[in-house]
């Protein structure tokens, strides 16, 4: 997919490889421990140092963490092993990306980490996942069950009016969020931005993002790059976007 891995900065450390999928991590600081794993993040606000106009509207106070131990995933249809004895830990300030060819199990692994029930219909699963705090998951495509939901229903119960800076940055207006328009009828970029806004309004502690740059306009892409680079939230994402990864 045109991803030139050799161009990844040296400050990225290779954590693990599984079934043709590679996990590359960027530590919260500029150092990588001798094992190749990110050093623990220092304490402080999740949004310390972030150049984002809406950061003060959030009050994330928890210490998010995500850990997987001895994960094995097999496709039921042919018994193919797509994840092999995979273990990792993401702590506050860590960012990691799963890269690899299509069909190698990246999305399946991300779904398993969020909720193993999402993959049990087509995968045999082994291993454990330990999460501290609230997980937020952005799927690669809008779930079928959400397609007929209106924007007003999708954002019901959120205090989006307290975060006008976030909405403005994503190009979303309060009127748009109150619309009777269904999610299915939105453009590809609008779907992604609406889902990102909904995830952040829930004040997550860990982010799992599957191809978050799909269909985003340039302004939203730049915002997402800044957010992922500066956020103190642990982030695990899938991408073929070389610029975003770097």
């Amino acid at each position: 997919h045109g991803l030139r891995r050799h161009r990844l900065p040296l400050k990225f450390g290779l954590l693990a490889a599984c079934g043709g999928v590679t996990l590359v991590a960027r530590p919260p600081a500029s150092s990588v421990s001798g094992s190749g794993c990110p050093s623990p993040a220092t304490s402080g606000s999740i949004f310390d140092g972030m150049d984002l106009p809406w950061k003060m509207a959030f009050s994330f106070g928890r210490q998010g963490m995500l850990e997987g131990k001895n994960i094995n995933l097999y496709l039921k249809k042919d018994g193919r092993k797509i994840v092999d004895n995979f273990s990792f830990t993401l702590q506050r300030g860590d960012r990691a990306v799963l890269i690899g060819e299509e069909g190698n199990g990246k999305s399946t692994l991300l779904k398993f980490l969020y909720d193993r029930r999402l993959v049990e219909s087509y995968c045999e699963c082994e291993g454990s996942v330990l999460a501290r705090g609230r997980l937020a998951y952005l799927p690669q495509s809008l779930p079928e069950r959400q397609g007929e939901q209106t924007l007003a229903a999708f954002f019901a119960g959120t205090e989006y009016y307290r975060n006008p800076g976030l909405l403005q940055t994503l190009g979303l207006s309060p009127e748009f969020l109150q619309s009777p328009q269904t999610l299915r009828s939105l453009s590809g970029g609008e779907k992604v931005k609406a889902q990102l806004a909904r995830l952040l309004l829930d004040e997550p502690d860990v982010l799992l993002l599957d191809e978050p740059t799909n269909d985003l306009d340039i302004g939203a892409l730049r915002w997402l790059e800044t957010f992922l680079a500066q956020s103190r939230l642990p982030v695990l994402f899938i991408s073929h976007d070389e610029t975003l990864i770097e």
Side-chain angles (χ1 to χ4, degrees), residues 170-192:
L170 288 174
L172 304 176
S173 68
E175 292 75 22
F176 177 78
L177 271 52
Q178 298 169 21
S179 168
Q181 187 175 358
T182 63
L183 294 176
R184 188 190 308 279
S185 66
L186 301 178
S187 68
E190 287 174 333
K191 289 175 184 175
V192 175

Side-chain angles (χ1 to χ4, degrees), residues 66-69 71 88 112-114 116 127-131 135:
L66 181 65
E67 181 178 68
K69 289 186 177 181
I71 297 172
F88 74 98
F112 172 81
L113 295 173
Y114 178 66
R116 66 190 302 153
S128 61
V129 178
L130 174 65
L135 298 184

Side-chain angles (χ1 to χ4, degrees), residues 59-123:
S59 57
F60 302 179
R62 299 172 292 271
Q63 299 280 325
M65 185 273 290
L66 181 65
E67 181 178 68
K69 289 186 177 181
N70 308 120
I71 297 172
N72 295 284
L73 299 179
Y74 308 82
L75 293 179
K76 289 182 177 181
K77 65 179 181 180
D78 56 13
R80 181 165 66 95
K81 195 174 195 177
I82 57 174
V83 175
D84 184 17
N85 197 32
F86 182 51
S87 298
F88 74 98
T89 301
L90 283 179
Q91 300 187 54
R92 187 169 183 263
D94 292 339
R95 283 92 69 195
V97 57
L98 290 165
I99 57 177
E101 296 180 357
E102 292 290 349
N104 274 0
K106 302 182 301 297
S107 293
T108 297
L109 175 57
L110 208 64
K111 290 177 183 178
F112 172 81
L113 295 173
Y114 178 66
D115 184 350
R116 66 190 302 153
R117 293 172 297 182
L118 296 177
V119 302
E120 286 180 337
S121 64
Y122 65 94
C123 270

Side-chain angles (χ1 to χ4, degrees), residues 147-167:
E148 297 305 321
Q149 197 171 16
T150 67
L151 283 162
F154 188 61
F155 284 95
T158 65
E159 297 182 337
Y160 58 83
Y161 49 85
R162 295 181 56 189
N163 297 281
L166 170 61
L167 301 184

